[in-house]
Amino acid sequence: MCGRYTLTTSGQIIAEFFKLSEVPDIKPRYNIAPTQSVATVTVSQKQMQRQFQFMRWGLIPSWAKDRKMASKMINARSETVAEKPAFRSAIKHRRCLIVADGFYEWQQQGKNKQPYYFQTADGEPFAFAGLWENWESPEKENIVSCSIITTAANETVEPLHDRMPVILPDSDWEQWLDPAVKNAQEVLPLLKPYASEAMKAKAVSVIVNSPSRDTPECISDPQ
């Protein structure tokens, strides 16, 4: 699974990296957790331009009676995403890039959990494959929410967890975001483990174990 990640890159670099027309107003985040607001990129179906948008992490299906499902929908499994009722419409019509520059996994060490921080080898920002949905509450509040798609872990992540988030190479972004692609079978092949040799990992401070901590110390070396 993917339950915690970072986005510390400046808005200017994000705009250049993802070819956005405007620089997004974002602050460095060192410990992004479920139900929080997260940075995403979609393509406008009318203008066919990439656009930046904040969404709530934890997808709420359009047919849900309340938002309680969101905490169980932070991830979608690549192997079943086209069949699951919560995701099968989104995989056809509402795909997005979820912007990040690192993510965490934990290793049980005795009674303690040691966090590890994973990045691409070049340390640049990257994109998780994401799905999004619009949901309207009984009070007529509209919530745009999203989920990160996961796949089998590569050799870098596997010692800690058997799953990892799908990291899409930039060469796949156009196809993934293209609103004209409505057949899930055309994009499912993109949902594969990122190249192990193109990633790096390191142990970091246990302060990241608390979702309330969101400071640069989260990615510092263990004490």
Side-chain angles (χ1 to χ4, degrees):
M1 65 174 293
C2 178
R4 222 81 70 72
Y5 70 95
T6 65
L7 180 56
T8 64
T9 308
S10 71
Q12 181 65 49
I13 293 176
I14 292 298
E16 294 171 1
F17 207 78
F18 288 89
K19 295 180 173 58
L20 304 174
S21 59
E22 298 182 358
V23 176
D25 182 14
I26 56 177
K27 297 178 180 179
R29 296 292 313 279
Y30 295 89
N31 197 3
I32 299 170
T35 75
Q36 295 178 352
S37 181
V38 299
T40 73
V41 174
T42 59
V43 164
S44 166
Q45 191 157 6
K46 292 183 179 180
Q47 299 177 336
M48 290 302 292
Q49 293 181 341
R50 290 183 185 176
Q51 55 189 19
F52 181 91
Q53 183 177 3
F54 284 109
M55 298 183 187
R56 188 180 189 274
W57 185 14
L59 187 142
I60 309 172
S62 59
W63 42 261
K65 295 181 180 179
D66 55 48
R67 67 187 75 189
K68 293 179 180 178
M69 293 183 67
S71 61
K72 299 179 181 179
M73 299 291 176
I74 65 170
N75 293 160
R77 293 177 66 91
S78 60
E79 298 87 346
T80 57
V81 68
E83 288 80 40
K84 290 289 185 179
F87 305 119
R88 63 191 179 197
S89 176
I91 190 67
K92 297 176 183 177
H93 307 290
R94 288 175 295 281
R95 299 182 297 271
C96 64
L97 303 177
I98 298 177
V99 185
D101 51 24
F103 67 94
Y104 300 100
E105 285 295 350
W106 281 260
Q107 184 180 59
Q108 192 72 40
Q109 296 181 355
K111 296 181 179 180
N112 302 315
K113 285 187 175 182
Q114 173 61 54
Y116 283 79
Y117 185 50
F118 294 86
Q119 292 181 285
T120 55
D122 56 17
E124 292 186 336
F126 56 81
F128 296 133
L131 304 175
W132 65 275
E133 191 64 79
N134 273 312
W135 179 77
E136 187 176 90
S137 73
E139 297 76 32
K140 304 302 180 183
E141 177 190 11
N142 186 71
I143 295 177
V144 183
S145 60
C146 62
S147 181
I148 295 172
I149 301 177
T150 66
T151 187
N154 62 22
E155 293 180 359
T156 302
V157 179
E158 196 275 333
L160 277 77
H161 203 285
D162 62 354
R163 306 288 297 177
M164 68 176 291
V166 173
I167 298 174
L168 291 173
D170 56 5
S171 57
D172 291 340
W173 294 353
E174 184 174 357
Q175 181 180 1
W176 180 253
L177 291 175
D178 189 350
V181 178
K182 302 182 184 300
N183 183 347
Q185 299 306 315
E186 293 185 41
V187 294
L188 290 180
L190 305 180
L191 305 179
K192 56 190 178 183
Y194 198 69
S196 181
E197 64 273 13
M199 292 185 67
K200 60 183 179 181
K202 69 169 186 174
V204 292
S205 171
V206 294
I207 71 166
V208 75
N209 293 2
S210 171
S212 64
R213 302 294 293 270
D214 190 3
T215 63
E217 289 74 25
C218 289
I219 57 174
S220 63
D221 294 336
Q223 300 298 318

